[in-house]
């Protein structure tokens, strides 16, 4: 079978591998239909993801059909359409015992630490495969994983009905946060430097959009929120300045949700945090968000039509990654079809 692999930083190619088989009683074999290209896959290709090891079959956003199942598999059956939850955790460490396997001490993410979904067939334990409505087009189903990231950010920020939520950055992840915040009943402000991205954010339900290059972000957010600032700020820009701005702009009793993998320190004075009793938290991947997002999908609550910008066949995988590199402003999600 064919796999898409980053052999070493800078070397992305299609290779041949033996087709995997169901071994354990709880295993399912999945025929992969679509894999989404995420910013982190681009970083893995270019050797800029600090967690990745090589060679690596890339892909953590993938969907497919159950092609075979071990004798103890009960949750799903052959022929089901599924999305794979791409994280493997130990089940024993403190985080796992707290019900937070996404931050397990020995967390392994498919496509990052272990091989991922860009292969014609993959075997995963049944609990990693979530059933999808069979009627959902593959080019929409493949968006479930990215939408779990926005769902997690809203969960971590405890977004409540009526809250003013500022989503900084209307890239793919910011947009998924906008959609999830709207579904939670929040009033959503999105910021981005690119007007085209703000246009998408409005399409995704943002009530206000701000371009900090031509508008004063702080003044605008204060004005919209009646002077208090955003109650929840989700940082999907992810640089030192955006973290500092998020702490500054968030209201008393507010929450700052940080999505950044940035290793550069920010300069934030503690007094600004205690004065407002801010809760500043990280949000990494997701916990227990797949069933919630799939329910939204099933009930037509996600604005998915047109979210996938372009689909490339596996044979044109390298061109697809080049396309993402060259077209950042216009790209929401580029997908590989297998
Ligand atoms: N924590 C997690 O689980 C997790 C998961 C996925 C991605 N991420 C991180 O989230 C971030 C966003 O991912 P993405 O795929 O959406 O990236 P992206 O590059 O598509 O989006 C970033 C957006 O921020 C905008 N931007 C840049 N500077 C800005 C500024 N000063 N103000 C407003 N907007 C600005 C850009 O125009 C762009 O649209 C990345 O840093 C990524 O590593 C985190
Ligand atoms: Zn992703
Ligand atoms: Zn663990």
């Amino acid at each position: 079978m064919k796999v898409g692999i980053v052999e070493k930083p800078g070397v992305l190619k299609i290779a041949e591998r033996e087709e995997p088989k169901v071994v354990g009683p709880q295993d399912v074999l999945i025929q992969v239909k679509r894999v989404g290209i995420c910013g982190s896959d681009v970083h893995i290709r270019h050797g800029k993801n600090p967690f990745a090891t090589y060679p690596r079959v890339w892909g953590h956003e993938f969907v497919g059909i159950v092609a075979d199942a071990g004798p103890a598999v009960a949750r799903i059956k052959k022929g089901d359409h599924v999305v794979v939850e791409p994280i493997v955790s130990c089940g024993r460490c403190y985080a796992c015992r707290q019900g937070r396997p996404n931050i397990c001490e020995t967390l392994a993410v498919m496509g990052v630490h272990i091989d991922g979904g860009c292969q014609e067939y993959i075997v995963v334990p049944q609990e990693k495969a979530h059933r999808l409505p069979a009627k959902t087009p593959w080019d929409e189903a493949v968006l479930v994983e990215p939408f779990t990231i926005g769902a997690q950010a809203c969960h971590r920020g405890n977004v409540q009905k009526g809250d003013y939520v500022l989503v900084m950055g209307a890239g793919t992840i910011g947009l998924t946060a906008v959609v999830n915040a709207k579904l939670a009943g929040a009033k959503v402000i999105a910021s981005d430097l690119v007007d085209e991205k703000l246009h998408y954010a409005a399409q995704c339900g943002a009530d206000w959009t701000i371009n900090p290059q031509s508008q004063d972000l702080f003044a605008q957010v204060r004005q919209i929120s009646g002077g208090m600032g955003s109650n929840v700020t989700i940082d999907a820009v992810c640089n030192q300045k955006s973290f500092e701005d998020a702490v500054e702009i968030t209201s008393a009793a507010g929450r700052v949700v940080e999505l950044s993998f940035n290793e550069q320190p920010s300069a934030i004075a503690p007094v600004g945090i205690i004065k407002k009793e801010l809760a500043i938290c990280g949000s990494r991947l997701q916990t227990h968000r797949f069933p919630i997002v799939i329910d939204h999908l099933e009930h037509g609550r996600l604005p998915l039509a047109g979210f996938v910008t372009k689909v490339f066949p596996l044979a044109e995988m390298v061109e697809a990654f080049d396309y993402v590199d060259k077209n950042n402003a216009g790209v929401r999600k580029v997908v590989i079809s297998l």
Side-chain angles (χ1 to χ4, degrees), residues 38-40 43 60 149 168-175 191-194 197 210 212 217 235-239 241-242 245 258-262 283-286 328 331-333:
C38 181
S40 56
H43 292 317
H60 59 274
I149 306 298
M168 300 170 79
T172 312
I173 296 302
L175 293 177
S191 74
D192 204 288
L193 304 178
V194 180
K197 304 257 186 187
I210 301 172
L217 177 71
D235 178 13
V237 170
C238 301
N239 58 35
K241 175 79 166 46
S242 60
D245 286 353
E258 192 46 59
L259 285 159
S260 184
F261 290 98
N262 197 334
S283 181
R284 185 173 187 193
L285 305 163
Q286 58 73 42
N328 185 274
V331 163
R332 278 171 285 179
K333 183 58 69 184

Side-chain angles (χ1 to χ4, degrees), residues 19-204:
E19 205 176 292
K21 287 190 171 49
V22 163
V23 179
Q26 306 267 0
D27 285 350
V28 289
L29 175 72
I30 295 167
Q31 182 192 5
V32 178
K33 301 298 285 183
R34 294 287 188 282
V35 193
I37 302 179
C38 181
S40 56
D41 300 319
V42 172
H43 292 317
I44 291 170
R45 178 199 187 182
H46 294 305
K48 289 186 190 149
N49 182 312
F51 304 120
T53 49
Y54 301 88
R56 181 63 54 233
V57 174
W58 68 275
H60 59 274
E61 307 174 358
F62 59 104
V63 287
I65 299 179
V66 177
D68 194 12
V73 173
R75 287 177 62 235
I76 45 180
K77 58 180 190 318
K78 222 170 140 175
D80 280 350
H81 292 197
V82 291
V83 57
V84 174
E85 181 168 358
I87 60 174
V88 179
S89 49
C90 77
R92 293 180 302 276
C93 73
Y94 180 74
C96 281
R97 283 185 280 117
Q98 294 284 315
R100 296 168 66 179
N102 57 323
I103 43 171
C104 171
E105 271 176 17
T106 56
L107 177 72
V109 180
M110 297 178 201
V112 182
H113 310 87
I114 55 175
D115 281 344
C118 192
Q119 41 187 322
E120 289 177 295
Y121 290 89
I122 186 170
V123 170
V124 301
Q126 66 161 333
E127 78 265 15
K128 301 295 169 202
H130 296 270
R131 192 169 46 226
L132 293 166
K135 64 175 193 309
T136 305
W138 291 117
D139 294 335
E140 295 185 10
V142 70
L143 295 164
V144 166
E145 195 279 347
F147 272 86
T148 65
I149 306 298
Q152 180 77 2
C154 291
H155 164 65
R156 295 286 296 146
N158 191 21
V159 172
Q160 302 290 316
K161 190 165 189 269
D163 280 349
Y164 285 96
V165 175
L166 169 63
V167 178
M168 300 170 79
T172 312
I173 296 302
L175 293 177
T176 70
V178 166
V179 169
N180 279 284
K182 284 302 293 176
L183 287 168
K187 294 174 267 196
V188 179
I189 311 162
S191 74
D192 204 288
L193 304 178
V194 180
D195 286 333
E196 204 173 344
K197 304 257 186 187
L198 293 174
H199 172 70
Y200 294 148
Q203 269 183 10
C204 285

Side-chain angles (χ1 to χ4, degrees), residues 174-257:
L175 293 177
T176 70
V178 166
V179 169
N180 279 284
K182 284 302 293 176
L183 287 168
K187 294 174 267 196
V188 179
I189 311 162
S191 74
D192 204 288
L193 304 178
V194 180
D195 286 333
E196 204 173 344
K197 304 257 186 187
L198 293 174
H199 172 70
Y200 294 148
Q203 269 183 10
C204 285
D207 300 286
W208 300 272
T209 61
I210 301 172
N211 186 333
Q213 263 176 340
S214 52
Q215 292 165 288
D216 182 334
L217 177 71
F218 285 34
Q220 291 288 320
V221 171
R222 287 209 182 92
Q223 196 202 344
I224 290 166
S225 60
M228 68 180 159
S230 41
N231 307 123
V232 181
T233 306
I234 297 172
D235 178 13
V237 170
C238 301
N239 58 35
Q240 298 99 299
K241 175 79 166 46
S242 60
F243 182 33
E244 291 163 13
D245 286 353
V247 169
E248 178 76 33
I249 195 68
T250 304
S251 75
R255 287 82 71 197
V256 174
V257 181

Side-chain angles (χ1 to χ4, degrees), residues 266-317:
S266 294
I268 292 172
V271 65
I273 300 169
I274 66 110
K275 202 169 78 183
K276 300 189 279 188
E277 272 202 345
L278 289 183
I280 302 177
C281 64
S283 181
R284 185 173 187 193
L285 305 163
Q286 58 73 42
T287 20
H288 316 303
R289 299 299 114 187
F290 274 85
I292 297 168
V293 171
I294 291 169
D295 187 65
H296 289 322
L297 173 78
E298 202 156 8
H299 291 91
R301 298 185 207 113
L302 302 177
L304 297 182
F307 205 99
V308 168
T309 314
K310 210 163 158 56
V311 182
F312 289 84
L314 180 61
E316 292 171 23
M317 175 189 72

